[in-house]
Amino acid sequence: MSPSQESVFPEYETDDSQTSKLIRKVKETPFVPVGMAGFAAVVGYGLYRLKHRGDMKMSLHLIHMRVAAQGFVVGALTCGVLYSMYRDYLQKPKE
């Protein structure tokens, strides 16, 4: 592409590093990393508790951990959507 032509998607053609892209995405949607961290924490806790589950069946323990992890991720995404709606519609738009 020659320098005189205007780019159709300039945000996709910049030479950003992976860390700068990650930081930008975290600033745009802060609850996604919270959901991912919560998911990892629930999975880690579930693996830790797997050894000390007592007489609970393995399948029942795994189902409980899956539901807890999914609940944390869905809750974080819901908070993110509500935050985004608040930021877009209720705060004064910067014009």
Side-chain angles (χ1 to χ4, degrees), residues 6-7 14 17 20 25-26 29 46 55 69 73-74 79 90 93-94:
E6 186 176 322
S7 176
T14 59
S17 66
S20 65
K25 285 292 186 183
V26 167
T29 56
D55 60 351
V73 170
V74 168
C79 289
L90 295 178
K94 297 176 184 176

Side-chain angles (χ1 to χ4, degrees), residues 44-64:
Y45 178 73
L47 290 175
Y48 172 74
R49 292 293 300 169
L50 188 64
K51 196 171 195 177
H52 308 289
R53 68 182 186 275
D55 60 351
M56 182 187 293
K57 289 185 178 181
M58 168 93 71
S59 62
L60 187 61
H61 176 74
L62 293 176
I63 288 171
H64 287 170

Side-chain angles (χ1 to χ4, degrees), residues 13 49 64-66 73-75 77-78:
E13 295 180 5
R49 292 293 300 169
H64 287 170
M65 290 300 108
R66 178 185 62 90
V73 170
V74 168
L77 290 176
T78 302

Side-chain angles (χ1 to χ4, degrees), residues 3-57:
S4 63
Q5 291 179 338
E6 186 176 322
S7 176
V8 178
F9 299 109
E11 61 272 3
Y12 293 112
E13 295 180 5
T14 59
D15 292 329
D16 291 336
S17 66
Q18 292 294 329
T19 55
S20 65
K21 288 180 184 178
L22 179 65
I23 290 171
R24 186 181 75 233
K25 285 292 186 183
V26 167
K27 287 180 182 177
E28 290 174 3
T29 56
F31 287 97
V32 172
V34 170
M36 292 187 328
F39 175 80
V42 168
V43 168
Y45 178 73
L47 290 175
Y48 172 74
R49 292 293 300 169
L50 188 64
K51 196 171 195 177
H52 308 289
R53 68 182 186 275
D55 60 351
M56 182 187 293
K57 289 185 178 181

Side-chain angles (χ1 to χ4, degrees), residues 67-86:
V67 168
Q70 284 179 334
F72 197 92
V73 170
V74 168
L77 290 176
T78 302
C79 289
V81 167
L82 292 174
Y83 174 73
S84 175
M85 289 174 62
Y86 169 75

